[in-house]
Amino acid sequence: MPETLAVVGGGVIGLAVAARASREGWSVRLYDPSIGSGASWVAGGMLAPLSEGWPGEHELLAFGAHSLARWPEFAAALPGPSVFSATGSLTVALDAADAADLKTIAEWVGEQGHDLEILGRAQVREIEPSLAQNIRLGLLAPTELAVDNRALVGALREAAADVEFVPEAVDDLGSLKADQIVLAAGAHSAAVLAGVQVRAVKGEILRLRRRPSASPSPTRTIRGSVHGRAVYLVPRGDGLVVGATQYESGQDTQVTVAGVRDLIADAERLMPSIGEYELHETAAGLRPMSPDGLPLIGRISERVIVASGHGRNGILLTPITADAVSALLAGDTLPEAKAADPARFEPAPLEKVRNK
Ligand code: GLY
């Protein structure tokens, strides 16, 4: 008799964990009333841990870089066509302060052993002619990638062909009969298991389609900041995903007029011809955010493993999470995932508090 595993949550994390465990001999049930319909469906899909690096954030950089390095092999093992939608990302600066930040990132991330390249105005326009003429500087990350999030959901479902899908929400882990449980319910994780330190951070995106008469899209992921708001354009076969707003607003997933207005205005500052594109879809999702930006991946009891809190990086961190959970189910730990141990948030034992 194979051991039984219940996975709670059918976003990319839950699907990848379920597919992997089933391949490794577990009899797996995955519980989700609507597979792949949450943050995984709304994601931009950029894998950009290097260009989002910042001095002092060693653990975030290392964790993201470990997962980025796993992506080619992870993707090659998926059924169907490639899920990658771009290679390379280019972060651009519109003003002097942003240009200084890009140089800081290039220097610090370079010192950690990763290749980033500073490009002048002319070089930026040479490699991405659709970008605005007033861009001052660019930071090129040639090894970063972008993934078509919806193709990924489809491929993972296919990879999980031997998993039994149960279209139900779970609100009490104690009701599940399985030998082991993985909680991968994203922004709903704290509602399933009180005390899990994950909160919802809403994000809105636009999906644009290139009309036949429109100017070509960038070929790389383009990132920038406008009036202090982060904006990115992530290539898709037929256009771009533009993201993303960020609000702490509970479980609200309505798309607002102000969100759409800001995304269009900010995207236009990076790529002036964007108005020629079809506004095909708007959507909002809930990022499962942890207090320190790293996910929570680890065993929290003899029967329960948590794999949540991936914040803005669920797609990026899918391969390392699948590896880490696979190790935990085998009674082992993945050294590269140590920084994500949920025990870092556990309250101090009473003795320690008393001795202070
Ligand atoms: N994945 C990027 C974001 O959450 O905006």
Side-chain angles (χ1 to χ4, degrees):
M1 269 282 274
E3 287 182 286
T4 55
L5 173 70
V7 177
V8 179
V12 290
I13 299 294
L15 284 168
V17 163
R20 175 72 170 270
S22 135
R23 209 168 67 225
E24 289 173 349
W26 290 79
S27 170
V28 185
R29 275 198 179 139
L30 186 149
Y31 295 80
D32 194 313
S34 183
I35 303 281
S37 66
S40 301
W41 199 243
V42 180
M46 62 180 172
L47 314 183
L50 313 180
S51 39
E52 292 195 354
W54 191 251
E57 297 182 351
H58 291 91
E59 285 182 333
L60 272 177
L61 176 69
F63 199 71
H66 279 308
S67 203
L68 175 64
R70 284 167 157 81
W71 251 103
E73 199 181 326
F74 180 81
L78 292 172
S82 169
V83 295
F84 291 123
S85 68
T87 299
S89 64
L90 179 64
T91 308
V92 296
L94 291 166
D95 61 27
D98 288 346
D101 282 353
L102 294 190
K103 288 180 183 162
T104 301
I105 295 168
E107 193 180 332
W108 183 74
V109 174
E111 284 164 13
Q112 314 309 310
H114 304 287
D115 278 341
L116 294 181
E117 206 180 316
I118 290 287
L119 306 184
R121 187 190 303 254
Q123 289 169 298
V124 167
R125 295 254 308 154
E126 197 179 312
I127 63 165
E128 292 293 358
S130 63
L131 297 188
Q133 288 182 6
N134 61 344
I135 283 169
R136 298 169 78 116
L137 206 72
L139 176 71
L140 179 66
T143 60
E144 290 185 337
L145 298 159
V147 165
D148 181 330
N149 56 315
R150 295 182 180 180
L152 176 63
V153 168
L156 287 171
R157 277 193 83 137
E158 232 181 283
D162 293 331
V163 170
E164 182 186 343
F165 291 101
V166 183
E168 287 168 15
V170 171
D171 52 18
D172 172 16
L173 297 184
S175 67
L176 299 173
K177 298 270 179 281
D179 299 319
Q180 289 284 300
I181 297 169
V182 176
L183 174 60
H188 305 291
S189 298
V192 180
L193 189 64
V196 173
Q197 298 229 22
V198 174
R199 70 186 196 284
V201 175
K202 177 180 175 182
E204 293 156 315
I205 55 106
L206 316 175
R207 292 179 74 99
L208 309 184
R209 284 203 177 151
R210 181 171 173 256
R211 303 191 311 145
S213 58
S215 310
S217 311
T219 58
R220 299 167 181 80
T221 296
I222 308 298
R223 306 172 57 249
S225 167
V226 180
H227 305 306
R229 295 188 295 253
V231 59
Y232 52 78
L233 318 176
V234 190
R236 289 290 186 271
D238 57 355
L240 293 166
V241 175
V242 177
T245 58
Q246 193 147 320
Y247 317 97
E248 306 263 348
S249 53
Q251 300 286 319
D252 168 30
T253 51
Q254 286 181 337
V255 177
T256 64
V257 174
V260 173
R261 176 201 62 206
D262 288 349
L263 288 171
I264 293 173
D266 297 350
E268 200 165 29
R269 290 288 303 277
L270 303 189
M271 181 186 162
S273 59
I274 214 152
E276 299 167 9
Y277 281 57
E278 176 198 357
L279 176 53
H280 180 71
E281 185 186 331
T282 62
L286 299 174
R287 306 174 180 93
M289 205 66 82
S290 76
D292 62 2
L294 279 159
L296 291 90
I297 308 168
R299 182 169 286 290
I300 53 175
S301 74
E302 273 182 19
R303 207 162 73 102
V304 179
I305 291 167
V306 65
S308 185
H310 293 76
R312 299 179 60 247
N313 294 310
I315 307 279
L316 167 67
L317 300 178
T318 297
I320 196 168
T321 304
D323 284 354
V325 173
S326 162
L328 289 163
L329 288 171
D332 208 347
T333 52
L334 183 74
E336 299 95 304
K338 194 172 182 315
D341 186 347
R344 71 193 187 278
F345 295 128
E346 273 174 16
L350 266 183
E351 300 76 44
K352 273 196 197 165
V353 176
R354 282 200 201 104
N355 290 342
K356 270 196 174 165

